[in-house]
Structure formats: structure tokens, C-alpha cells
Amino acid sequence: FGIEAARKARNSDDHSGLEAALNTLLQNLAANAPALAKKGQKPADTQQLQAIYDALVDDTTNHGASLSTQKNLTQDNMLVLNGLFAEMQHLLSDGKALYAASNRTKAQDYTMTQLMKRVSQARKATPAPVTPAA
């Protein structure tokens, strides 16, 4: 009937295996409904299994949609961050060019490493704003 496969999938936390096993079990229950009814199988039990199966399918579908949304957000964020990085590189090269002849020490400050140090120092110096609890 597929009960053993459903138990194994549940015990091993295999959602796709559990979904397949429950589907097989529900098909077998539907195919043998008259005989099972004579043995005492109640329609409410089958409905309960169907509800579990439906919830599992919905959860799997929602999880897939969530992953797709996360992937799209990641791609969008990468586009923005790559644009920001290009602008920062342009700014750093301008700073190096401006100070290359007049102040070599200051020109060396226009590197990504120095910029990251400044950002880190600014974060440590400025405490995050506290939001009041609701």
C-alpha cells in the first residue's frame, strides 16, 4: 500500500519522498476503497491523509516559490552592488590621480582596503539606532 515508504520518508525527513509515498498510499486507498470499507477503513481517515498530503504539496510549492523569489532578489542585489562597486572604483581612481603628484601619502588612501577600514571604523563609532519596542 505504501505505508512503509511513507514511514521511512517521514523518519528520514525526506519531504519529496513522503509526498510520493502519500500519493501512492492515497491511490491505493482509492483503488481498494470498497474492500477497505468492509474491513473498517473510515472515509475520515482517508480524508485526513489527503489533508496531510495537500498541506505537504502546498508547503513544497511555497518553498519553491520562496527560493525563486530569493534568487531574483539576490540577482537584483548583485546588479546594484556591482554598480556601486564600479562607482567606488571610479572614485578611488580619481582620488589616486588627483593626489599622485602632490601628496603620495594621501593617494595611497584611495584604495579599497582603506575605504573598507574607514567604513568599519565609522560603524564602530556610530551606534545603531535603537527602535522602541511595540
Side-chain angles (χ1 to χ4, degrees):
F1 267 77
I3 295 171
E4 186 63 30
R7 283 185 184 145
K8 284 182 182 178
R10 185 203 60 196
N11 291 339
S12 64
D13 201 28
D14 177 13
H15 292 275
S16 60
L18 181 57
E19 186 178 321
L22 283 175
N23 188 29
T24 302
L25 179 60
L26 287 168
Q27 288 174 350
N28 288 335
L29 288 173
N32 298 296
L36 289 171
K38 290 179 184 176
K39 295 279 187 176
Q41 173 73 21
K42 298 175 187 167
D45 295 336
T46 304
Q47 289 171 351
Q48 193 174 23
L49 282 172
Q50 184 67 48
I52 291 169
Y53 173 76
D54 292 341
L56 185 61
V57 169
D58 287 345
D59 184 52
T60 302
T61 303
N62 291 338
H63 182 69
S66 175
L67 289 177
S68 178
T69 301
Q70 287 175 355
K71 182 179 176 183
N72 290 337
L73 289 174
T74 300
Q75 288 174 345
D76 291 345
N77 288 342
M78 289 303 297
L79 288 173
V80 170
L81 291 173
N82 285 337
L84 177 62
F85 182 77
E87 291 296 322
M88 288 174 19
Q89 289 293 90
H90 182 69
L91 178 69
L92 293 173
S93 65
D94 286 349
K96 286 178 191 176
L98 287 172
Y99 293 108
S102 63
N103 190 344
R104 292 186 187 268
T105 304
K106 198 162 190 169
Q108 291 174 353
D109 285 343
Y110 284 88
T111 63
M112 191 59 73
T113 303
Q114 289 298 322
L115 178 63
M116 295 302 288
K117 283 181 184 178
R118 287 185 202 152
V119 169
S120 178
Q121 289 170 352
R123 281 188 185 154
K124 290 177 184 174
T126 308
V130 177
T131 57

